């Protein structure tokens, strides 16, 4: 039979593993922590369903990018926490794949992003923001 | 804005719309271009978000586990013909993945991880929690599963081995936990309340509903 620790002991030990590795963050109640996480997640799923890449291709590249980010971050922070940083790499991966397939180009991305920034900065608070 | 601010307080962000974060702007830019090029349908993107925010989640897996506990014939199908039965029930994988059900026994506790990225049985559990995607879990689950489980409050006795399943883009795992003795005799809908998400990843055990 397995036994459970008392309720209050749960997660208490999660701050640090015995190897000194990073603690595991607690889970959010919602599926996505931020709207843009949901958006970029759904973009990849939709593009996959549209046949622009298959899931092994996605997972392979995403895994490489996660590993590279982890390596780059060693010594700075205790690894990726699985929220903002995770979806930033998701976005990076999707952008790379779209660029490599010639579907999106970097200059246009930068230009449209600047237009969105400008639109937010010039639209009165409370009004819908459009390009 | 906090309610104790004086009426005359004024902040810059009141003047214009709040500027989204840098990655949020990059997502908007990417989406705008994809829509302009006709590569995506914005309504379909919204439908995917709605699906994962409101419709697909651990309650689907919990229903399957509860039914497996109640119905040995269904359990045999769920374990032996997982893709077939999930497809029949409308929970088939949309990314071409296969789902494998791994059953806990007194001799073996199963634990699921994705060391590569974050492969997860979306159709039956929804999107994974942040900890599942963290470097800490992804590296430590394989290296020291007993310790990781202890941190989740799950103490596995020394005689029960732990088997760690590393998910891939093609194969995702769902843990079929052992039914707690206290829940014997309950009907399926009551049993489903005992099955929490972590129990189906292997980082938890079924719990009475009041305690979860």
């Amino acid at each position: 039979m397995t036994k459970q620790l008392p309720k209050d002991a749960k997660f208490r030990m999660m701050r640090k593993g015995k190897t000194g590795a990073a603690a595991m963050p607690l889970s959010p109640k919602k599926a996505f922590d931020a709207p843009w996480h949901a958006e970029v997640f759904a973009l990849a799923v939709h593009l996959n369903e549209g046949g622009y890449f298959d899931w092994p291709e996605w997972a392979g590249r995403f895994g490489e990018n996660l590993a590279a980010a982890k390596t780059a971050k060693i010594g700075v922070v205790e690894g990726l926490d699985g929220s903002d940083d995770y979806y930033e790499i998701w976005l990076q991966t999707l952008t790379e794949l779209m660029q490599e397939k010639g579907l999106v180009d970097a200059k246009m991305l930068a230009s449209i992003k600047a237009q969105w920034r400008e639109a937010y900065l010039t639209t009165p608070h409370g009004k819908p923001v459009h390009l | 804005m906090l309610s104790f601010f004086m009426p005359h307080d004024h902040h810059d962000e009141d003047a214009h719309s709040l500027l989204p974060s840098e990655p949020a702007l990059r997502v908007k830019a990417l989406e705008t271009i994809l829509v302009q090029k006709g590569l995506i349908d914005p309504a379909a993107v919204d439908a995917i978000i709605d699906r994962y925010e409101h419709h697909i989640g651990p309650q689907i897996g919990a229903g399957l586990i509860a039914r497996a506990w109640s119905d040995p014939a269904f359990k045999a199908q769920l374990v032996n013909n997982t893709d077939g039965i999930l497809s029949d029930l409308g929970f088939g994988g949309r990314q071409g993945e296969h789902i494998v059900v791994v059953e806990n026994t007194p001799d073996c506790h199963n634990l699921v991880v994705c060391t590569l990225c974050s492969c997860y049985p979306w159709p039956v559990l929804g999107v994974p929690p942040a900890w599942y995607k963290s470097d800490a879990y992804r590296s430590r689950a394989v290296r020291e599963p007993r310790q990781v489980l202890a941190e989740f409050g799950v103490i596995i006795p020394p005689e029960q081995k732990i088997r760690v399943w590393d998910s891939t883009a093609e194969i995702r795992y769902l843990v079929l936990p052992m039914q707690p003795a206290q829940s014997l005799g309950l009907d399926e809908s009551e049993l489903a309340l005992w099955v929490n998400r972590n129990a189906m990843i292997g980082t938890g055990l079924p719990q009475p509903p009041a305690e979860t």
Side-chain angles (χ1 to χ4, degrees):
Chain A
M1 276 294 287
T2 49
K3 283 190 301 189
Q4 294 252 310
L5 288 176
K7 190 79 178 159
D8 61 352
K10 275 193 178 182
F11 302 116
R12 197 175 53 200
M13 296 169 68
M14 292 191 58
R15 283 192 288 275
K16 210 164 182 79
K18 68 179 178 187
T19 57
M24 282 168 284
L26 299 182
S27 68
K29 292 284 178 241
K30 294 187 298 180
F32 301 101
D33 291 343
W36 72 267
H37 296 179
E39 284 159 20
V40 74
F41 169 85
L43 283 179
V45 170
H46 184 45
L47 288 162
N48 162 250
E49 291 174 2
Y52 295 100
F53 48 82
D54 65 19
W55 210 252
E57 179 181 6
W58 167 267
R61 178 62 68 88
F62 186 47
E64 284 171 20
N65 286 341
L66 283 169
K70 182 181 177 183
T71 306
K73 280 192 159 194
I74 279 176
V76 183
V77 294
E78 292 180 319
L80 307 175
D81 70 7
S83 184
D84 258 10
D85 50 15
Y86 173 87
Y87 283 106
E88 287 201 30
I89 296 163
W90 186 286
L91 170 60
Q92 175 201 337
T93 304
L94 185 59
T95 307
E96 278 175 15
L97 287 178
M98 291 293 99
Q99 287 178 349
E100 288 167 12
K101 292 173 192 300
L103 299 171
V104 166
D105 82 60
K107 269 189 190 160
M108 184 180 267
L109 262 179
S111 156
I112 301 282
K113 190 184 83 178
Q115 289 177 37
W116 272 115
R117 178 188 299 276
E118 186 61 18
Y120 274 92
L121 292 175
T122 54
T123 303
H125 185 67
K127 297 272 191 280
V129 181
H130 298 293
L131 278 193
Chain B
M1 183 177 291
L2 297 176
S3 57
F4 54 75
F5 279 173
M6 296 300 289
H8 297 296
D9 278 0
H10 184 80
H11 294 263
D12 283 348
E13 61 264 34
D14 291 343
H16 54 72
S17 301
L18 269 178
L19 189 62
S21 66
E22 179 64 19
L25 283 172
R26 284 165 50 210
V27 173
K28 287 191 85 70
L30 181 61
E31 184 165 14
T32 301
I33 293 170
L34 293 169
V35 171
Q36 282 174 353
K37 291 197 157 196
L39 299 174
I40 60 168
D41 169 9
V45 174
D46 289 345
I48 291 169
I49 294 173
D50 180 62
R51 193 196 313 154
Y52 284 98
E53 281 190 331
H54 303 298
H55 302 289
I56 299 186
Q59 74 279 1
I60 292 176
L64 296 170
I65 302 301
R67 190 167 164 194
W69 284 347
S70 313
D71 177 351
F74 178 78
K75 176 178 161 180
Q77 279 188 298
L78 185 66
V79 172
N80 299 318
N81 178 28
T82 311
D83 286 331
I85 196 79
L86 292 182
S87 172
D88 288 350
L89 293 170
F91 304 135
R94 301 169 64 108
Q95 271 64 46
E97 71 273 33
H98 302 289
I99 294 182
V100 171
V101 173
V102 289
E103 185 180 2
N104 285 348
T105 67
D107 296 326
C108 181
H109 180 89
N110 295 289
L111 179 66
V112 179
V113 66
C114 173
T115 58
L116 173 70
C117 50
S118 54
C119 298
Y120 190 72
W122 289 351
V124 290
L125 294 186
V127 293
W131 59 258
Y132 185 85
K133 302 175 288 194
S134 69
D135 280 338
Y137 181 74
R138 288 167 42 227
S139 57
R140 293 183 51 213
V142 173
R143 204 168 62 227
E144 43 177 5
R146 227 168 261 276
Q147 168 70 12
V148 166
L149 283 172
E151 293 177 32
F152 277 93
V154 178
I155 305 300
I156 301 297
E159 64 274 16
Q160 192 180 22
K161 72 177 181 188
I162 298 173
R163 184 152 185 199
V164 181
W165 299 85
D166 194 357
S167 314
T168 67
E170 290 93 354
I171 301 180
R172 323 291 174 88
Y173 299 94
L174 179 73
V175 174
L176 172 54
M178 287 188 285
Q179 181 174 1
Q182 313 94 289
S183 71
L184 289 171
L186 297 178
D187 71 29
E188 238 179 86
S189 58
E190 292 171 308
L191 285 175
L193 302 174
W194 284 63
V195 187
N196 55 74
R197 180 194 60 210
N198 288 10
M200 294 180 279
I201 303 174
T203 53
L205 297 174
Q207 299 279 351
E211 293 178 23
T212 52

